[in-house]
Amino acid sequence: YLVKHFRAKNIFFAFFTLQALAGLVILYGVDSENPGWVFPLSVALARFGVTTCFNTVWMTHPKMFPTLFAATSLGIANFATRGFVILAPLVAEIPYPFPMRVFTIVTMFAALTSFFLIEE
């Protein structure tokens, strides 16, 4: 539904912003001693944003790249992504606020860079 009615850059911006807001709520609105219901709700919103962005990539990718380069571009993105995934356990071992700050900064950066997508 979203891909049919909205541009990909708007979808990416909205849902990366949702992820960043969820990260900010976890950073500043959740007590680490007693997280309550705010923490699971924020994690659910962040996961919803991530899932929506991944699905949008798969659905809009053929419109953004010519058929000749589609597999190559996904391969390069997959290679780069796996490099970041290798670093994820190292970041997760650092004490509490730092991993959430990394998550929030990366999602804010992704939201801002989504404006530079070129669509037909």
Side-chain angles (χ1 to χ4, degrees):
Y1 176 81
L2 292 175
V3 172
K4 288 183 180 180
H5 298 290
F6 299 100
R7 298 178 61 152
K9 65 172 62 177
N10 295 339
I11 296 170
F12 285 130
F13 180 76
F15 287 98
F16 279 129
T17 303
L18 177 69
Q19 293 173 55
L21 290 175
L24 288 171
V25 168
I26 291 171
L27 273 173
Y28 300 112
V30 174
D31 181 24
S32 60
E33 300 290 324
N34 185 14
W37 60 270
V38 177
F39 180 73
L41 179 66
S42 299
V43 171
L45 286 175
R47 286 182 55 100
F48 177 69
V50 169
T51 304
T52 305
C53 288
F54 279 132
N55 288 332
T56 303
V57 166
W58 282 105
M59 294 181 74
T60 60
H61 187 265
K63 291 190 279 185
M64 293 187 186
F65 290 93
T67 306
L68 183 62
F69 301 114
T72 305
S73 64
L74 277 177
I76 292 169
N78 193 10
F79 181 75
T81 303
R82 289 184 189 268
F84 286 112
V85 168
I86 290 169
L87 298 174
L90 299 173
V91 173
E93 292 295 324
I94 300 171
Y96 163 62
F98 188 76
M100 282 312 300
R101 287 182 183 153
V102 169
F103 171 77
T104 305
I105 290 169
V106 167
T107 55
M108 286 179 181
F109 180 73
L112 293 176
T113 57
S114 67
F115 282 121
F116 297 105
L117 288 175
I118 301 171
E119 300 180 70
E120 292 182 6

